[in-house]
């Protein structure tokens, strides 16, 4: 598990984001409360991390019975951050 978490951090996630992502990967759809409980995080922090992962395109959610359930998007989306950086660097190289 530690190796996967380290590689997720290398891919651009923070330590806690990596833990949340990995928990969703292992268990599938979970509520924020379930995520927080499973990895011993404050529920508010779990929501913050889930929202960060949503913004990064790593996590999505559905609403069932007025409750949000979160799950990872395609693992290929881990490349999104790297692709954005590549575009920025390529533009910078052209300018230089």
């Amino acid at each position: 598990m530690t190796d996967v978490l380290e590689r997720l951090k290398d891919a651009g996630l923070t330590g806690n984001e990596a833990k949340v992502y990995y928990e969703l990967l292992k268990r599938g759809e979970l509520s924020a409360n379930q995520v927080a409980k499973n990895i011993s995080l404050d529920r508010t922090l779990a929501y913050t991390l889930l929202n960060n992962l949503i913004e990064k395109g790593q996590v999505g959610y559905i609403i069932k019975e007025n409750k949000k359930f979160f799950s990872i998007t395609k693992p290929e989306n881990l490349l999104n951050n790297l692709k954005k950086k590549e575009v920025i660097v390529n533009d910078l190289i052209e300018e230089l």
Side-chain angles (χ1 to χ4, degrees):
M1 176 175 112
T2 308
D3 185 46
V4 173
L5 292 177
E6 286 303 315
R7 290 190 293 167
L8 285 169
K9 289 193 291 189
D10 290 342
L13 302 183
T14 67
N16 281 333
E17 287 173 348
K19 289 177 187 175
V20 169
Y21 185 91
Y22 189 63
E23 183 65 18
L24 290 172
L25 179 67
K26 288 189 310 187
R27 305 209 190 268
E29 268 181 21
L30 295 173
S31 70
N33 285 336
Q34 291 169 313
V35 170
K37 188 176 182 180
N38 290 355
I39 58 176
S40 302
L41 289 178
D42 176 72
R43 187 177 61 85
T44 306
L45 178 57
Y47 266 111
T48 299
L49 295 167
L50 287 162
N51 286 327
N52 290 348
L53 289 167
I54 288 169
E55 286 178 23
K56 291 180 177 183
Q58 308 306 323
V59 168
Y61 68 89
I62 60 170
I63 298 175
K64 292 184 194 175
E65 300 173 14
N66 295 325
K67 193 173 183 181
K68 284 185 180 179
F69 287 87
F70 300 88
S71 60
I72 65 164
T73 57
K74 299 181 296 185
E76 291 83 9
N77 286 347
L78 288 168
L79 292 170
N80 290 348
N81 192 38
L82 297 173
K83 288 178 183 177
K84 286 179 189 175
K85 286 182 181 182
E86 181 181 19
V87 168
I88 291 168
V89 170
N90 282 331
D91 289 345
L92 180 61
I93 289 171
E94 286 180 23
E95 251 182 71
L96 299 174

